[in-house]
Amino acid sequence: MKGILKKVAQATMQMDFNVDKKGDWDWGAGVALYGLRKVYETTGSQEIYQFIKTFIDGNMAQSQKISYNINTTAPLLSVLLLYRETGEPHYLDFAEKFASWLMKEAPRLSNGALEHTVINDKFAGEMWVDTVFMAGVFLTELGQLVNNAAYIEEGLRQARLHIEYLQTGDNGLLYHGYSLLGNDHLSGCLWARGNSWVTISIPEIFTTLKGYEQEKEWFFGRIQRQVEALAAVQNDTGLWPTILTDASSYEETSATAGFVYGIWKSMQMGYLDRKYLRCAEKGYKAVLQHITEEGTVTSVSAGTGIQHSIQEYKAIPRDSIMPWGQGIALLMLCQEMHEHVKS
C-alpha cells in the first residue's frame, strides 16, 4: 500500500464518524467506509476489511436504532461488499430491507423523484443532488448483485430525474437542489461537493453494469457537459471553489478529490475525452497539498444542507476532519494507483 494511501486510511479508521452527532450509521460513515472499501479492493488489506466488517456488524446488531432515510443508505455499499465476500444471507437481507423501503415507502415528489430525507428531517417537495450517490449507486449495485432489473432501473431513474432537474442548461453544472413546490432551485447554488456526487456516481454505476447502452450514452453525455464546465472554473491552484461560479468562495478539498476521481474513472472507461487529463492531474496534486503527515484531509467543508443564501454556503466551516473528506480522498488515491499502473 502506497504511503499516502496508508496514512489516509489509518487516519480514517481512527476518526469519529459521528461528526454530525446523529449516530454512527449515517452518510458520513457510509462515504468513509466506501473509500476504505476501495482501498481493500485495490490492495487486499485484511486490516481494512476487518475494520469495515466490525463497524457494519456492530451497527447491524443494533439495527433497531438505524433510521431509514436517503442518507443512511450510504453504509449499505459496504454491506454489499461483506455479502460478496462472505455469502452470508443476513447481509443481503439487511440491504434488501433498505431497498424495499426505497422502492415502496420512501417519500417521493409527484414527478417520482425521491424526496431528500435525513435523520430527524424531511425536506418536503425537495430533490437534492446528493441522492444520486446515496440511493442511485446502492440500488444499481444491489440490482446487479441479485439480478433484479427493478432495482437497477429505479437507481438509473432516480439518477436521471435528479440530473434532468438539477443540471443547468447554460453551463452543465448542477444546482444543489430543486423544489417542485416552488419550481425553483432554492438558493440557486452550484455547490461543488454536490456536483462531485454526480461526477463520482455515474462512472461508479456503469463500471460493471452490462447493457443499458442508451442510458450509458445519455449519462456520459451529461458528464461530458459537466466536466467541460468544471474545467472552465477550476482555480489556478488546481482546487475548485465551494461555489463553482464564485472564485471568491473558499477552495474545497473533498469536491476536488471527487472531481479528480470521476474524471479519471470516466476517462479510464473511455467515456470522457482525454483532454481533461491535465485538469485531473492539477486537482490531484492540489489535494495532496491538503493531506497532513498524519493522513488527515484538510479544508473539507462540514455537512451542508441546502442553505438559504449563497453567503451561507461561504460560511460553512472547514476546520475539522470529516469522514466524507477522508472517504472521497481515498477514492481518488485508489484511482491514481490504477492510473499509474495503466501509464
Side-chain angles (χ1 to χ4, degrees), residues 208-221:
T208 57
L209 186 59
K210 306 299 183 187
Y212 298 95
E213 291 303 319
Q214 284 187 322
E215 291 85 349
K216 187 182 294 184
E217 182 179 351
W218 185 88
F219 279 107
F220 279 106

Side-chain angles (χ1 to χ4, degrees), residues 21-40:
K21 306 306 177 190
K22 293 180 178 178
D24 282 339
W25 190 280
D26 201 5
W27 72 279
V31 177
L33 290 169
Y34 195 56
L36 290 169
R37 169 184 155 173
K38 290 288 184 179
V39 179
Y40 167 67

